[in-house]
Amino acid sequence: MRDLAAGMGYLVKGQRWVGRHGRWWAFGMLPALLTLAGYAVALVFLGGWSDDLAEWATPFADGWGSPWQGLLRTALAAVVFGGGLLISLITFTAVTLLVGQPFYESLCAKVDESEGGAPTPPDVPLWRELWTAARDSLFVLVRVAGFGIPLFVCGFIPVVGQTVVPAAGFLVSGFFLAVELTAVGLQRRGVPQRERIRLLRARLGLSLGFGVPLILAFLIPLVTVLAMPGAVAGATLLARDLVPVEEGAEDAEAGTEAGADGPEAVGGAAVPDVPPYDRSGPPVPGNPYASAPPRAVAGPDPHPTP
């Protein structure tokens, strides 16, 4: 339960970070606005052509009388538009991250810089970063589909389909949203995608606490636009915890000692903080990317790694 609360805490801290850096909040909204505009145009065209598509797909109904021909083609047009809308909701975040790769890379770098202990990102050209992001997003979508198809079939089971399946769907979607959003921060630390998924799966409660509330909020596209910069900032803070860097270990320790007896100071003002995710326990087994040792704490380990 503490992991779940810590994951939600990263959401709060990410939104608070962009609230303190208003210019970066506006900067981070640009990719989501561009993606939303593109999807809106596509859906308008799809809505205008859905009747023509339905008529083209049902030539056998040309001789049908009223009202059966109209009912069939109207229902088919509604299915076409609904399918386009569903695809838009499923792919919006992935496309936004792909379009905004340069934006979110800069935002992630600024978060690392402001928090101390920024890593040295891999020296690769922009086109290769975009290709890697597109490949990784496609891989995630394939995995989501691998879970989604069985869940869709199970949705026809009475009672289970109306209770367990929707809950499982939100959990799966929330986990993979956390995978997508932490991708930028973990790529900067040289962590490949399969290892990113393994790290987040090892901290499943943390991942779900971060991703599931976002999935619920992202069902509203406008909320996606407003919350995306803070979501990326929060995911960067989460990535910093999963894969710390040696250069920031001393700074982080100094900051912890300075703030041990009171709230976090930002810009000279005391700001109440969300309790951070406690890394005092041993690192994730087999994680070669966590180069900084965990912080020492007095007493027994309150959160042993499962």
Side-chain angles (χ1 to χ4, degrees):
M1 292 301 295
R2 289 182 63 90
D3 278 0
L4 286 171
M8 291 185 281
Y10 280 116
L11 289 178
V12 176
K13 290 193 285 187
Q15 299 300 328
R16 192 173 56 193
W17 189 95
V18 295
R20 295 195 304 261
H21 302 78
R23 184 173 67 88
W24 285 96
W25 178 60
F27 180 78
M29 281 197 299
L30 290 177
L33 286 171
L34 291 173
T35 306
L36 181 63
Y39 272 84
V41 171
L43 288 173
V44 167
F45 276 103
L46 181 62
W49 291 341
S50 59
D51 290 337
D52 294 333
L53 288 172
E55 184 177 352
W56 170 81
T58 57
F60 56 85
D62 287 342
W64 290 13
S66 179
W68 307 115
Q69 182 190 81
L71 288 174
L72 173 66
R73 289 178 174 172
T74 300
L76 183 58
V79 169
V80 169
F81 183 79
L85 182 61
L86 179 61
I87 292 173
S88 299
L89 291 174
I90 293 173
T91 61
F92 183 85
T93 301
V95 173
T96 299
L97 289 172
L98 179 60
V99 171
Q101 178 71 19
F103 295 83
Y104 296 138
E105 174 72 23
S106 299
L107 175 59
C108 181
K110 182 63 178 179
V111 173
D112 272 330
E113 178 186 337
S114 68
E115 297 295 317
T120 301
D123 186 15
V124 296
L126 177 60
W127 69 266
R128 186 159 186 177
E129 286 186 1
L130 293 175
W131 164 251
T132 301
R135 183 193 63 195
D136 290 350
S137 295
L138 180 61
F139 181 75
V140 169
L141 288 175
V142 169
R143 286 202 166 200
V144 171
F147 284 96
I149 292 174
L151 287 174
F152 176 78
V153 174
C154 291
F156 293 99
I157 302 175
V159 181
V160 173
Q162 290 74 48
T163 55
V164 177
V165 170
F170 279 117
L171 294 177
V172 170
S173 300
F175 174 78
F176 283 107
L177 179 60
V179 171
E180 287 272 36
L181 289 172
T182 54
V184 180
L186 292 177
Q187 280 175 356
R188 285 173 50 80
R189 288 156 173 79
V191 185
Q193 187 188 55
R194 291 184 183 276
E195 182 67 14
R196 296 198 298 265
I197 293 175
R198 192 187 73 82
L199 289 173
L200 290 168
R201 191 171 59 237
R203 293 294 187 186
L204 188 59
L206 186 69
S207 305
L208 295 178
F210 182 80
V212 173
L214 276 177
I215 280 290
L216 296 173
F218 282 8
L219 292 176
I220 306 173
L222 183 59
V223 173
T224 307
V225 173
L226 296 174
M228 182 63 82
V232 174
T236 303
L237 296 173
L238 192 156
R240 288 171 56 84
D241 183 79
L242 287 176
V243 185
V245 292
E246 189 70 36
E247 291 81 359
E250 294 180 0
D251 293 340
E253 182 178 356
T256 301
E257 293 174 355
D261 297 326
E264 177 186 3
V266 180
V271 180
D273 198 2
V274 176
Y277 177 63
D278 190 354
R279 287 193 59 257
S280 58
V284 176
N287 176 11
Y289 302 96
S291 56
R295 297 190 299 270
V297 295
D301 179 10
H303 313 296
T305 302

